[in-house]
Amino acid sequence: MKRLFILLASLFCFSCAQAMTPSQLTVAYAKALRLASPSTKTTVKTDLELQLTNAEGEASTAFLDNAYKEYLHDPKAIEDVIQRYTVSYLAITKDEVRIDRARIVPIIKDRQWLSEITQSLRDRGAKEPLENAFEEFNERLVIVYAEDSPTNIRYLTWKHLEEIGVSRTQVRALAVSNLKKILPKIEIHKGPVLSMVTAGGDFEACLLLVNELWTVHFKLTETSL
């Protein structure tokens, strides 16, 4: 990674003087990834979107919307943002990386997300779409299962879960249990009309699955009436 750090230091020295555009960040990430992983064919498709093809010919898409949002939030952290997203890609492309059962978590997504993932794979020429591990939550939302590592969110398939011995009937209980262990502090902000629940900014939607949170909250609400 030493060469990558040198590249980042020289590549982003201008970032303090002017804001990077989505196009500039996309090109910067592509350069960093090519240096860190020469065997990966990295192609810029459009702003904040790269097509990546590994040495085995397997294609994937890197969406950099979140990376750009992080950069805009703290422009001085551009080197850290690019480094983390590069390490994140490298982590999920190592075949020997085994899924950690203790890091499997539920993610709430809308149905449109599943459709977009399927369409993206078809656009890249995939013969069969990935069988994302998910289940119904309600008529608009689904629960998608993923591995939350320190550097990346890796969305799982039913095959992934089968390989580590987690069945479809077990995964929700396991994922919710893991979620409760890794959640940051949950805070309930009460207002005169509306209340808001926060959990670090990343897991708020997932709190819908923590039944005891809502039981306690409603009990407190009823007590205060």
Side-chain angles (χ1 to χ4, degrees), residues 185-197:
K185 182 179 179 181
I186 300 174
E187 298 180 341
I188 299 176
H189 307 273
K190 294 185 178 181
V193 180
L194 299 174
S195 295
M196 179 172 64
V197 181

Side-chain angles (χ1 to χ4, degrees), residues 40-183:
T40 299
K41 180 181 178 181
T42 304
T43 305
V44 176
K45 293 187 66 177
T46 185
D47 289 353
L48 304 180
E49 183 177 347
L50 300 176
Q51 180 170 312
L52 310 173
T53 306
N54 64 19
E56 288 72 38
E58 299 170 335
S60 62
T61 299
F63 297 100
L64 304 177
D65 303 78
N66 289 338
Y68 191 65
K69 289 177 183 177
E70 288 186 34
Y71 160 69
L72 291 179
H73 179 72
D74 184 7
K76 293 182 180 180
I78 181 59
E79 293 180 33
D80 178 63
V81 171
I82 295 295
Q83 180 185 334
R84 283 192 291 105
Y85 275 79
T86 301
V87 171
S88 171
Y89 170 77
L90 296 178
I92 64 174
T93 54
K94 293 179 180 178
D95 292 339
E96 67 272 15
V97 175
R98 184 174 175 82
I99 297 170
D100 184 352
R101 290 171 59 105
R103 303 297 300 187
I104 296 174
V105 296
I107 306 291
I108 297 290
K109 293 287 188 181
D110 59 33
R111 293 179 181 277
Q112 183 63 29
W113 182 86
L114 288 174
S115 299
E116 290 173 353
I117 291 295
T118 300
Q119 186 59 51
S120 176
L121 289 169
R122 288 173 177 167
D123 291 344
R124 299 203 310 269
K127 297 180 179 179
E128 297 182 4
L130 290 175
E131 295 184 359
N132 291 92
F134 78 95
E135 61 179 283
E136 309 285 336
F137 183 66
N138 59 30
E139 65 275 7
R140 295 187 178 183
L141 302 174
V142 295
I143 307 169
V144 181
Y145 294 104
E147 180 188 28
D148 177 37
S149 74
T151 59
N152 184 67
I153 289 287
R154 178 186 184 185
Y155 292 101
L156 304 175
T157 66
W158 291 120
K159 183 179 180 180
H160 286 140
L161 295 173
E162 180 181 341
E163 289 174 348
I164 60 171
V166 178
S167 70
R168 299 190 183 210
T169 57
Q170 296 172 323
V171 63
R172 181 166 178 175
L174 173 65
V176 172
S177 176
N178 291 339
L179 175 67
K180 289 186 286 187
K181 293 174 184 176
I182 68 175
L183 276 174

Side-chain angles (χ1 to χ4, degrees), residues 8 11-31 48 67-69 71-72 74-79 81-82:
L8 293 174
L11 189 58
F12 305 123
C13 61
F14 68 91
S15 62
C16 294
Q18 59 182 356
M20 297 179 73
T21 65
S23 177
Q24 288 173 326
L25 185 138
T26 305
V27 171
Y29 177 76
K31 289 181 178 179
L48 304 180
Y68 191 65
K69 289 177 183 177
Y71 160 69
L72 291 179
D74 184 7
K76 293 182 180 180
I78 181 59
E79 293 180 33
V81 171
I82 295 295

